[in-house]
């Protein structure tokens, strides 16, 4: 069966009030192996990481085109003046969890990661096909 372009979706929303660490935007890179959709069986790789911008977040209109403020991609950030090539602007996910636990409490941190896990599950369920 061929690929139908109508079956392809990208959903994205810019978050204008992101959670910041040290005043900087970050994102999570999580890896998940799906071995079965029926039943859904997936494994989250424990060594994911978060990537940081090198410049502190600024929502000013004059900064909208500043990629070092808004985009966490290492391929972009490595060209910035503040890039640290020793750690590459990355934290392992367990460092992020420790930081969040310290700043927001264990219960909040645990709830956040539970919600992330449920988002992963629902994302995979949304792209599995129903037989009938």
């Amino acid at each position: 069966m061929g690929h139908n372009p109508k079956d392809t979706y990208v959903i994205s929303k810019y978050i204008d009030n992101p959670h910041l660490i040290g005043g900087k935007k970050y994102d999570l890179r999580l890896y998940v192996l799906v071995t079965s959709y029926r039943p859904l069986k997936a494994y989250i790789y424990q060594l994911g990481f978060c990537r940081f911008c090198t410049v502190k977040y600024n929502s000013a209109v004059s900064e909208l085109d500043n990629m070092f403020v808004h985009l966490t991609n290492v391929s972009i950030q490595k060209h910035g003046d503040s890039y640290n090539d020793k750690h590459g602007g990355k934290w392992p996910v367990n460092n992020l969890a420790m930081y969040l636990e310290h700043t927001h409490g264990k219960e909040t941190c645990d709830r956040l990661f539970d919600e992330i896990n449920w988002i992963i599950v629902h994302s995979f369920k949304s792209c599995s096909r129903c037989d009938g």
Side-chain angles (χ1 to χ4, degrees), residues 12-18 25 57 64 70:
S12 180
K13 178 182 178 185
Y14 184 79
I15 299 171
D16 60 1
N17 61 340
K25 284 179 66 174
Y57 181 72
L64 285 177
H70 297 284

Side-chain angles (χ1 to χ4, degrees), residues 2-131:
H3 173 72
N4 182 346
K6 291 182 181 179
D7 292 338
T8 302
Y9 302 95
V10 175
I11 299 173
S12 180
K13 178 182 178 185
Y14 184 79
I15 299 171
D16 60 1
N17 61 340
H19 184 264
L20 306 173
I21 295 179
K24 297 176 182 180
K25 284 179 66 174
Y26 65 98
D27 70 4
L28 293 175
R29 177 64 59 103
L30 302 173
Y31 299 96
V32 181
L33 170 67
V34 177
T35 58
S36 171
Y37 277 97
R38 288 185 174 248
L40 180 60
K41 192 180 285 188
Y43 302 89
I44 299 175
Y45 184 56
Q46 296 300 308
L47 297 179
F49 55 90
C50 55
R51 307 177 300 179
F52 289 88
C53 288
T54 54
V55 176
K56 288 189 176 188
Y57 181 72
N58 183 338
S59 61
V61 174
S62 61
E63 292 293 330
L64 285 177
D65 291 333
N66 186 341
M67 295 186 298
F68 302 114
V69 170
H70 297 284
L71 301 176
T72 60
N73 309 54
V74 174
S75 61
I76 292 168
Q77 294 296 327
K78 70 182 179 182
H79 299 290
D81 294 336
S82 301
Y83 182 73
N84 182 326
D85 59 359
K86 288 190 173 49
H87 60 70
K90 297 178 190 176
W91 277 4
V93 167
N94 62 330
N95 285 15
L96 173 65
M98 285 190 298
Y99 172 84
L100 293 173
E101 197 172 301
H102 176 75
T103 57
H104 299 284
K106 181 167 178 32
E107 184 178 316
T108 300
C109 182
D110 289 347
R111 188 170 60 248
L112 171 68
F113 280 95
D114 283 346
E115 289 178 11
I116 289 170
N117 288 336
W118 276 113
I119 289 169
I120 291 168
V121 168
H122 291 300
S123 297
F124 285 122
K125 286 173 76 175
S126 74
C127 55
S128 65
R129 300 258 187 231
C130 295
D131 289 334

